[in-house]
Amino acid sequence: MLTRIKDALKWVPSYLARDLLLSLNGSRSQVKHVYFCICDHFEPYWNRAGDQVAKTRLNRWLNEWPMVADDNRDSFGNRLPYSFFYPEEEYNKDDIDALAKLCHAGYGEVEIHLHHHDDNPENLKHTLLDFKHRLHEVHGLLPVNERTGKISYAFIHGNWCLNNCRPDGCWCGVDDETSILLETGCYADLTFPSAPSPTQPRKVNSLYYVKPTPGQSAAHEIGDDLQVGGNEKGLLMVQGPLGFAWGRRKWGIVPRIENSGLMLSMPINKARFHDFMRAHVHVKGASEHVFVKLYAHGTQEDNLKMFFDDGGGRRLLSGMREYVESLGAQVHFVSARQMVNTILAIQRTDSSLNNNAPYSLKF
């Protein structure tokens, strides 16, 4: 039991140290722009669902998300382009065709999600290359990186087991996934946070680069933070907010964990907006730009209820805008790709940041 608790909370020391530093240096008071993104582990066939159940789940997003997005826009009148991380192992041509139509209409983008077990580097490379080419060539998704000429994609690892980081070795099998992701055109990993899972890395609330580590698992536990004017290299890690939710305590005493998850059991409210902002994920040297990346499992029935039946999607978007603007800042609704474009533009101190849409830049 003690080992399980230790694994689940190994991130706490670095979180507390970072939180204290932010409180002392006043960085949180400097916010001018907030970039808000939802990365969905979008699994229509979750829990071994049949075709009809999967299509019912998918159709709710196809039919209802456009209304939510159109009615709840950011400080500049832009709708949120939802980031659908679709699992390779659930590929269905008709389903992706339907989802691609939604995305081509401006309501989202598709990226890559993968669950695998006892895998090997060669098979993983083949799987990622095959899937990204299918998404691009068959469905018109995943653009080509103008600099490298490769089809580029963002990645979220199923079960949060990036680089074979789970203590029992399950749900991956490839220690150095970093190398393969870089080789196959991955522009960023957006897997974390994962707390209270033991897969949660020690490094929290950060934007950083991970270098390949052949023969070593869990390379993403450490890395070089992005900073303005820096030239760090590796696989870009974009983490979402993680911390203690002091305003939401169990039994009125023990703080719950804010882990960026959107689910029925974690209601959308002002206290959560405060916690998202308190994490203050940013590029070092540019604390006025804050990144809020949340995650969801939006096809699960409880979460469909939260997003649509209970109005959680509308409360999330409208509430986030209202909260950010109450701080005297502006919120940008962005996709995963747009968020990364903005992060890299800030790192490069690109002059395009003077306009209202830095995320229009292409890396």
Side-chain angles (χ1 to χ4, degrees):
M1 176 62 73
L2 290 178
T3 299
R4 291 174 61 187
I5 294 174
K6 180 182 177 181
D7 287 341
L9 298 178
K10 65 182 179 181
W11 53 273
V12 172
S14 59
Y15 158 72
L16 292 175
R18 185 180 182 278
D19 186 68
L20 177 60
L21 180 62
L22 287 170
S23 297
L24 292 175
N25 66 23
S27 295
R28 294 189 180 101
S29 64
Q30 302 171 9
V31 180
K32 295 180 180 179
H33 294 275
V34 177
Y35 306 90
F36 180 81
C37 173
I38 302 176
C39 297
D40 198 315
H41 304 209
F42 197 75
E43 304 163 4
Y45 297 87
W46 172 76
N47 205 22
R48 300 181 181 180
D51 289 346
Q52 189 56 51
V53 170
K55 290 189 183 302
T56 298
R57 293 168 172 173
L58 176 60
N59 283 337
R60 293 215 62 184
W61 281 94
L62 298 177
N63 296 329
E64 299 184 49
W65 176 251
M67 293 184 288
V68 174
D70 284 340
D71 293 344
N72 301 275
R73 300 186 179 231
D74 69 10
S75 299
F76 301 94
N78 299 314
R79 65 168 75 100
L80 175 72
Y82 204 78
S83 296
F84 299 95
F85 283 74
Y86 199 97
E88 185 276 339
E89 70 277 6
E90 291 189 10
Y91 176 78
N92 178 290
K93 184 180 182 301
D94 291 341
D95 293 347
I96 296 291
D97 277 340
L99 193 58
K101 185 176 180 180
L102 178 72
C103 293
H104 293 153
Y107 291 98
E109 295 179 0
V110 172
E111 303 287 357
I112 292 181
H113 190 33
L114 177 67
H115 301 80
H116 60 154
H117 175 69
D118 197 22
D119 207 349
N120 62 72
E122 293 75 17
N123 185 69
L124 174 60
K125 180 180 177 180
H126 171 78
T127 299
L128 292 172
L129 288 174
D130 176 70
F131 192 39
K132 79 168 189 177
H133 279 283
R134 263 183 289 158
L135 291 176
H136 181 73
E137 294 163 9
V138 178
H139 304 284
L141 301 166
L142 300 179
V144 172
N145 184 314
E146 295 175 359
R147 179 175 57 83
T148 66
K150 291 183 176 181
I151 301 166
S152 64
Y153 67 93
F155 185 73
I156 288 179
H157 199 296
N159 306 109
W160 299 294
C161 299
L162 181 68
N163 286 312
N164 209 26
C165 66
R166 186 172 158 126
D168 61 8
C170 290
W171 300 114
C172 184
V174 180
D175 288 343
D176 184 23
E177 286 185 305
T178 300
S179 294
I180 296 169
L181 291 171
L182 287 169
E183 184 180 355
T184 56
C186 178
Y187 66 82
D189 179 275
L190 297 98
T191 299
F192 299 105
S194 62
S197 166
T199 59
Q200 171 62 41
R202 290 178 176 83
K203 198 170 182 69
V204 300
N205 298 327
S206 299
L207 307 171
Y208 62 105
Y209 284 108
V210 173
K211 297 178 181 178
T213 55
Q216 178 183 334
S217 63
H220 56 277
E221 288 282 350
I222 59 174
D224 297 323
D225 291 322
L226 270 74
Q227 54 187 332
V228 173
N231 60 357
E232 304 83 9
K233 295 181 180 180
L235 177 64
L236 176 60
M237 304 293 295
V238 178
Q239 294 185 325
L242 174 63
F244 289 120
W246 298 102
R248 296 182 287 121
R249 307 188 191 192
K250 192 172 184 179
W251 308 306
I253 302 173
V254 181
R256 299 179 186 275
I257 293 176
E258 174 54 67
N259 65 1
S260 302
L262 298 174
M263 56 197 75
L264 188 63
S265 61
M266 297 175 67
I268 303 299
N269 53 39
K270 189 175 181 179
R272 294 199 70 191
F273 300 142
H274 171 80
D275 292 336
F276 298 156
M277 294 298 296
R278 184 176 180 85
H280 204 82
V281 179
H282 66 284
V283 177
K284 286 190 173 182
S287 59
E288 67 273 24
H289 297 275
V290 171
F291 298 89
V292 176
K293 175 189 70 72
L294 307 184
Y295 79 87
H297 289 87
T299 60
Q300 297 180 15
E301 276 68 26
D302 280 352
N303 298 330
L304 285 166
K305 181 177 187 296
M306 182 275 294
F307 267 103
F308 301 122
D309 297 332
D310 294 348
R314 293 176 182 273
R315 286 197 308 276
L316 175 63
L317 300 188
S318 63
M320 193 67 198
R321 173 177 175 170
E322 291 169 5
Y323 186 82
V324 170
E325 291 181 344
S326 75
L327 301 177
Q330 298 171 308
V331 64
H332 304 258
F333 289 163
V334 295
S335 67
R337 187 174 297 264
Q338 291 170 336
M339 179 171 279
V340 170
N341 283 336
T342 306
I343 290 167
L344 296 179
I346 291 171
Q347 182 193 26
R348 296 193 305 262
T349 61
D350 197 296
S351 60
S352 296
L353 282 173
N354 292 325
N355 65 35
N356 291 335
Y359 46 79
S360 64
L361 296 169
K362 300 299 181 184
F363 56 86

